[in-house]
Amino acid sequence: MRATKLNWNLAQHYYFDHNATTPVAPEVLENMRETMAEVYGNASSIHYYGQAAKRHLEGARRALASRFQCDPREIVFTSGGTEADNLAIFGVARRKPGSHIITSCVEHPAVLNACTQLEREGHSLTLVPVDGAGLVSPDDIRRALRPSTSLITIMHANNETGVLQPIGQIAAIAREAGVTCHSDGVQTAGRVPVQLNAGPDLVSVSGHKFGAPKGIGALFIRKGIELQPLFYGGHHERDRRAGTENVPGAAALGFAAANLSDWSGLAAFRDRLERGILSRIPSAQVNGGGTARIPNTTNIRFDGIEGEAMVIALDLRGYAVSSGSACSSGAVEPSHVLLAMGLSPAQARSSVRFSLGPANTETEVDGLLEAVSSAVAHLRRLSPEVVHG
Ligand code: PLP
């Protein structure tokens, strides 16, 4: 069957949704294509083809370890961030049945739903709150500790607001208490400097957030930390993750880690976008502004406007952004992250996330600003009862 080229009409569209996923960098794609075509052996086979695959796998592990400063033996490849989070959380907790787990109420569902499943399996769970800026207080973590606590899991940066948690302090509290600490580093690894050997015992990484493809990720497991595996099968990944290794995916992840784009410059574009929106639309407000954030993200609420409607209005103008709301059984649920920060359901529903990436230009940012102004004006004309600001 002949593949049909999809007509995405990409030339007229601009991508501002990098926290959802990033495009695969062309060099990464080429690296992956070559590996897929030429290095097809099973990395467990002892013949020439197997050994070539093994070399690529271990090269990728070394590249990742060198970028994120840890020992290659501390890296386990997974199918992505969700699996890395699940491996860390179930892996620690299931070794201590009935133990206590601490997490925050702004975590990604990959963490929150893993923790609530553990609750159903007989563990107890403390959800620590966040303040108005979206920050977890290290003191709340300390107060939540119990003799039976087996795990603290707190994300590094929030996917909706970009807010960075004080993960160094939280890891130090865990270490002092002799409790294993995991951090979901999916929105930071590959984007801001991450030094794995200095913080939590377990850190999740996802390739598709920094130019590698979907379906590959990794879990950093500090030397000495024992995990119960999620899968049972062969002795792959030193008995920590059974299943024939995804060598092209791992190679792409290693290559992307070794050849990172610089995301730090995006703060200037993000701030330009924020300033522009706040000055043109006075009723707009930044959710999670005023605290340390990853450089590419801003989450803005436009009171009186549905975030979903803004996403569609901007899409029609050629700009891809996102709202934090989740659609469950036909109803749009407000974001649990924004509610936890003290926003009302209406304010949470009126919020939009803009997440920039290394390929965005100043001209695109200015175009987005124009599009936001025109979309707000249009949507406010459609609902005249809202307060105009
Ligand atoms: N954790 C965070 C903070 C995320 O943003 C995401 C993806 O959006 C995940 C985990 C899940 O990662 P993956 O899509 O690789 O399974």
Side-chain angles (χ1 to χ4, degrees):
M1 197 171 67
R2 233 163 64 89
T4 316
K5 200 167 171 216
L6 290 174
N7 179 14
W8 288 108
N9 214 4
L10 282 175
Q12 291 162 33
H13 281 74
Y14 302 98
Y15 191 70
F16 284 87
D17 198 15
H18 293 80
N19 287 10
T21 194
T22 57
V24 177
E27 315 79 54
V28 176
L29 189 61
E30 182 49 26
N31 174 279
M32 198 177 175
R33 196 200 62 75
E34 274 176 28
T35 320
M36 267 186 166
E38 291 160 27
V39 192
Y40 49 82
N42 183 322
S44 301
S45 302
I46 57 173
H47 49 58
Y48 170 84
Y49 296 92
Q51 292 311 297
K54 181 89 181 154
R55 269 198 310 281
H56 276 74
L57 187 66
E58 296 314 318
R61 203 185 307 278
R62 280 194 301 278
L64 215 60
S66 144
R67 166 62 66 194
F68 298 133
Q69 299 186 47
C70 65
D71 188 298
R73 286 167 297 190
E74 295 177 311
I75 296 284
V76 167
F77 289 113
T78 66
S79 64
T82 300
E83 187 191 327
D85 285 342
N86 276 260
L87 176 57
I89 293 167
F90 287 111
V92 171
R94 284 186 179 152
R95 284 173 60 86
K96 296 193 178 150
S99 64
H100 170 238
I101 296 141
I102 301 173
T103 190
S104 83
C105 38
V106 294
E107 299 297 313
H108 188 272
V111 167
L112 278 179
N113 291 339
C115 289
T116 50
Q117 173 58 26
L118 282 170
E119 229 182 348
R120 287 190 283 273
E121 293 177 13
H123 291 81
S124 49
L125 181 63
T126 300
L127 282 176
V128 295
V130 292
D131 64 13
L135 280 174
V136 168
S137 148
D139 285 338
D140 283 345
I141 302 279
R142 200 191 294 279
R143 271 192 293 272
L145 283 167
R146 298 182 196 166
S148 63
T149 307
S150 60
L151 177 71
I152 297 172
T153 170
I154 301 291
M155 69 200 322
H156 192 189
N158 187 270
N159 44 302
E160 293 186 28
T161 59
V163 168
L164 282 157
Q165 298 297 347
I167 197 65
Q169 284 180 60
I170 293 169
I173 290 169
R175 204 171 310 122
E176 201 180 294
V179 171
T180 304
C181 181
H182 165 249
S183 184
D184 178 334
V186 166
Q187 293 291 344
T188 47
R191 297 166 162 211
V192 298
V194 166
Q195 188 184 347
L196 289 176
N197 57 15
D201 304 304
L202 300 154
V203 180
S204 307
V205 173
S206 175
H208 74 96
K209 307 294 181 180
F210 62 100
K214 290 145 198 69
I216 186 73
L219 180 65
F220 160 75
I221 307 175
R222 185 181 301 287
K223 189 168 178 284
I225 300 287
E226 298 284 339
L227 297 184
Q228 180 167 322
L230 282 180
F231 311 145
Y232 291 86
H235 297 290
H236 309 90
E237 298 290 282
R238 298 154 64 90
D239 280 332
R240 294 173 295 185
R241 202 276 187 177
T244 302
E245 298 89 345
N246 172 3
V247 176
L253 182 63
F255 189 88
N259 298 280
L260 291 180
S261 305
D262 182 7
W263 289 60
S264 62
L266 293 177
F269 286 174
R270 188 265 314 271
D271 294 347
R272 183 183 178 90
L273 178 65
E274 247 173 28
R275 272 198 308 273
I277 291 178
L278 297 185
S279 65
R280 287 165 190 226
I281 306 159
S283 64
Q285 294 209 39
V286 177
N287 299 318
T291 186
R293 287 177 292 170
I294 46 174
N296 75 318
T297 308
T298 181
N299 189 306
I300 300 185
R301 66 177 188 265
F302 299 89
D303 285 349
I305 290 178
E306 287 290 326
E308 294 288 299
M310 270 292 277
V311 171
I312 294 165
L314 288 174
D315 193 39
L316 291 172
R317 287 163 174 76
Y319 292 87
V321 302
S322 142
S323 75
S325 325
C327 193
S328 72
S329 47
V332 177
E333 296 290 336
S335 143
H336 69 286
V337 174
L338 301 179
L339 293 182
M341 289 164 66
L343 270 68
S344 69
Q347 287 173 323
R349 276 202 199 88
S350 73
S351 298
V352 175
R353 175 183 74 187
F354 303 88
S355 52
L356 287 73
N360 287 134
T361 62
E362 193 171 284
T363 313
E364 288 176 15
V365 170
D366 291 346
L368 174 58
L369 253 176
E370 291 299 327
V372 169
S373 303
S374 119
V376 168
H378 175 72
L379 292 169
R380 287 203 164 143
R381 271 199 304 277
L382 292 182
S383 46
E385 74 276 13
V386 302
V387 183
H388 291 240

